[in-house]
Amino acid sequence: MSQQTLPSTSAGSSGGGGGLPPKKRFGGDVIFRGTATAAGSMVLVIIAAIAVFLIVKAIPAIRDDNANFFTYKEWFTDGDDPKFGIAATVFGTILTAFLALLLAVPVALGIALCLSHYAHRRVATTLGFIIDLLAAVPSVVFGLWGRDYFYEPVSNLSKWLHDTAGWLPIFGSEGPYGKSVLLGSIVLGIMILPIVTSLSREVFMQTPPENQEAALALGATKWEMIRTSVLPYGKAGIIASVMLGLGRALGETIALALTLGSVFAINFDLLGPGGVTIASNIANRFAEANEFGRGALIASGLALFAITLVVNMAARAIVYRRREFVGSA
């Protein structure tokens, strides 16, 4: 029998069949990776630049402040004895944002569940498109709408709440009613409604079909299937959407500047004329402020920047704790 000889391979090849083609040093993958890395790094650079700008502009005003910046409630920056603090503005910012979430989140989750599991596909698509368009409406339009058209209904609602539950401190104000924390919170809740709804709907639609079918096969009703399969799976996404809506609510400016009463006080009165946030205070005072006053407003903006940054970082951390959600997304 003749011996069969195997084909010889060249020394430069990496294996049988001639080996893999040499990797290009400047191929498309390398260029794309570098571009994506540069774009991601640019976001960090911009955030760092904003932080540096705010700190540099805020330090002189904080240094010359004759009151405690964190605990003082009033805002007097134009006199010979300038005093200002962020206590009242931070309280108003958190209060209005919390009330807006309290009003918007239950409605948003109900709409999201309806669009993802109850409504017909064409109806759900149309309503989802409309809700997404609602997020594109400028905030000044919401503010004007709330000031001109919600003023009277909210005044009547405030009077009814006082007559019905005036024994509660939050409804204890006897008027005059109109521009108030309640009006600002309602407008703000409508503004964050599309954000929470859209994100929650996407989370609910990413629930694995086998989980839902298994629950239905065991005899669960549709609501029981949603309660045992959809909501637990989307818990991290729901929390993240709520916190992103909170970030939007904390930084809203024009709408609250048009609907709040701009009173520097720390109380839980929702009906009386009052309420002020960091953003609305900046919008109302920046044009007429002197150099020191502008520095003081920038210092309050630094506090708002820190609060919103912490909220958004917490939302991201919650999302990435769930590997299932990250993988499906």
Side-chain angles (χ1 to χ4, degrees):
M1 296 178 63
S2 60
Q3 295 182 352
Q4 186 176 3
T5 59
L6 296 175
S8 60
T9 57
S10 59
S13 63
S14 58
L20 298 175
K23 184 178 180 181
K24 296 181 180 180
R25 180 173 297 181
F26 297 104
D29 291 342
V30 176
I31 296 175
F32 179 78
R33 185 186 303 112
T35 304
T37 303
S41 302
M42 185 60 64
V43 174
L44 299 178
V45 171
I46 294 174
I47 293 176
I50 294 175
V52 170
F53 165 78
L54 292 174
I55 292 173
V56 170
K57 294 294 184 179
I59 286 178
I62 296 176
R63 184 180 60 243
D64 297 336
D65 187 10
N66 294 322
N68 190 302
F69 175 69
F70 296 101
T71 60
Y72 191 66
K73 295 184 294 185
E74 302 295 336
W75 195 272
F76 303 112
T77 58
D78 297 330
D80 297 332
D81 185 24
K83 296 180 180 180
F84 67 93
I86 60 172
T89 56
V90 169
F91 175 81
T93 300
I94 296 175
L95 179 61
T96 54
F98 173 78
L99 291 176
L101 289 180
L102 191 64
L103 295 173
V105 169
V107 179
L109 295 181
I111 296 174
L113 286 174
C114 177
L115 296 180
S116 60
H117 288 83
Y118 286 96
H120 190 271
R121 178 174 298 180
R122 292 183 179 179
V123 177
T125 302
T126 304
L127 292 179
F129 178 72
I130 295 174
I131 292 173
D132 293 338
L133 285 180
L134 188 62
V137 178
S139 60
V140 63
V141 175
F142 282 106
L144 293 173
W145 179 46
R147 186 192 65 179
D148 296 339
Y149 290 96
F150 271 13
Y151 186 92
E152 189 67 25
V154 172
S155 298
N156 296 334
L157 175 63
S158 299
K159 186 177 184 305
W160 179 82
L161 289 174
H162 174 72
D163 296 339
T164 305
W167 50 273
L168 291 174
I170 58 176
F171 302 140
S173 177
E174 298 180 355
Y177 304 122
K179 288 187 176 183
S180 61
V181 174
L182 180 61
L183 176 60
S185 299
I186 292 175
V187 174
L188 194 57
I190 297 174
M191 293 182 63
I192 67 176
L193 183 66
I195 298 176
V196 181
T197 301
S198 298
L199 295 177
S200 300
R201 180 191 60 189
E202 295 299 324
V203 171
F204 295 152
M205 293 179 65
Q206 291 171 4
T207 305
E210 53 270 18
N211 293 4
Q212 304 179 50
E213 294 172 359
L216 294 174
L218 292 175
T221 62
K222 197 162 190 176
W223 165 242
E224 290 173 341
M225 179 271 294
I226 292 174
R227 184 171 54 86
T228 57
S229 299
V230 178
L231 295 181
Y233 179 83
K235 182 178 179 181
I238 295 172
I239 297 175
S241 66
V242 171
M243 297 192 70
L244 290 177
L246 175 61
R248 168 69 187 276
L250 291 173
E252 181 50 43
T253 304
I254 299 300
L256 292 181
L258 294 172
T259 54
L260 292 180
S262 188
V263 176
F264 292 84
I266 297 179
N267 58 64
F268 291 93
D269 180 19
L270 307 182
L271 307 182
V276 64
T277 65
I278 296 176
S280 66
N281 185 49
I282 294 175
N284 289 329
R285 296 178 178 268
F286 197 87
E288 301 177 355
N290 54 22
E291 184 177 357
F292 178 82
R294 288 192 293 270
L297 293 173
I298 292 175
S300 65
L302 177 61
L304 180 61
F305 176 80
I307 293 173
T308 54
L309 187 63
V310 169
V311 169
N312 284 277
M313 290 176 62
R316 287 295 179 183
I318 292 174
V319 172
Y320 283 101
R321 285 181 60 186
R322 285 289 300 273
R323 294 184 179 181
E324 300 91 344
F325 178 76
V326 175
S328 60

